[in-house]
Amino acid sequence: MYDKWEELENSIINCNKCKLCNKRKNIVFGTGKKDADLMFIGEGPGADEDIQGIPFVGKAGKLMNMAFDGLGINRDEVYIANIVKCRPPGNRNPEEDEAEACLNYLRNQVMLVKPKIIVLLGSVALKNILGKEYGITGARGNWIEKKGILYMPTWHPAALLRDENKKIEFWKDLKLVKEKMQTM
Ligand code: URA
């Protein structure tokens, strides 16, 4: 573990710990406020993120930004990262060995950001961070506390593109997060 951002960022530049390195255009490290109280964790970069090197800049990201705007969450005030930093081909889910190889970078990011709340976006984030025993359908919308951090699992923004009801639930979950932030 690195205790300086610069060291962590340098350590990932030529990462070849898993096969996702073969086809990536850019490593999508993370973005936002480096000491944010609120952090979001997604799954892995898609095509747009791979090109730009920034998480959640594609369709799903735009939807997330709209929810942020509506709820008064400032994207510059939060930190956003993913379970894997390189794009899984065809936007498939990251495989277990890929997530395993990458997770220490994320753990290090969490250690440096020291967020009070982490929003887990979708099943891949939930299972990799809190454990395989969790399911997103049952867990979403409920606070889970672990080692002094409050976790809020919710739908992955890409799921909202396919299901209007999930949009409403996503909004509700982020509203809970916003309200909690105001009491902290
Ligand atoms: N989906 C994710 O999980 N992460 C991104 O950065 C973009 C889309």
Side-chain angles (χ1 to χ4, degrees):
M1 291 279 176
Y2 298 98
D3 48 23
K4 291 201 173 70
W5 279 102
E6 203 188 341
E7 290 168 358
L8 176 61
E9 284 164 12
N10 286 337
S11 77
I12 200 174
I13 287 173
N14 294 313
C15 183
N16 57 2
K17 288 187 184 168
C18 85
K19 56 191 175 299
L20 295 180
C21 70
N22 295 323
K23 291 193 174 151
R24 71 169 175 239
K25 293 190 174 75
N26 282 293
I27 292 172
V28 181
F29 178 71
T31 190
K33 192 175 174 204
K34 288 181 166 158
D35 60 349
D37 288 335
L38 177 57
M39 180 163 176
F40 288 78
I41 299 179
E43 182 178 313
D48 296 300
E49 290 77 19
D50 184 42
I51 290 167
Q52 296 187 43
I54 304 167
F56 287 102
V57 290
K59 246 189 191 171
K62 294 211 166 79
L63 208 52
M64 193 164 83
N65 289 345
M66 275 170 60
F68 282 1
D69 288 346
L71 289 161
I73 296 171
N74 184 347
R75 195 173 149 130
D76 297 332
E77 290 289 314
V78 305
Y79 192 82
I80 306 173
N82 282 308
I83 296 293
V84 293
K85 313 296 194 220
C86 299
R87 185 189 181 204
N91 296 343
R92 65 162 170 73
N93 283 356
E95 290 168 2
E96 221 165 288
D97 60 320
E98 295 160 354
E100 187 61 36
C102 212
L103 266 171
N104 266 346
Y105 294 124
L106 183 62
R107 292 193 183 104
N108 207 149
Q109 286 170 301
V110 172
M111 187 197 97
L112 291 172
V113 174
K114 298 188 186 70
K116 293 179 176 145
I117 293 177
I118 296 182
V119 178
L120 299 170
L121 299 164
S123 170
V124 171
L126 173 64
K127 286 179 184 290
N128 276 287
I129 300 296
L130 292 183
K132 300 273 180 271
E133 66 274 25
Y134 287 95
I136 192 67
T137 308
R140 69 139 282 277
N142 297 294
W143 292 110
I144 297 164
E145 208 243 297
K146 233 179 188 179
K147 294 186 188 161
I149 297 178
L150 273 176
Y151 292 88
M152 172 57 73
T154 189
W155 300 117
H156 189 285
L160 316 182
L161 297 165
R162 303 183 287 265
D163 184 341
E164 275 300 311
N165 287 329
K166 288 186 176 155
K167 245 187 217 173
I168 296 166
E169 290 174 343
F170 181 77
W171 184 278
K172 269 193 200 158
D173 299 346
L174 289 199
K175 194 156 178 283
L176 287 177
V177 169
K178 173 76 187 181
E179 285 164 3
K180 179 68 84 181
M181 289 294 299
Q182 284 165 338
T183 68
M184 290 178 128

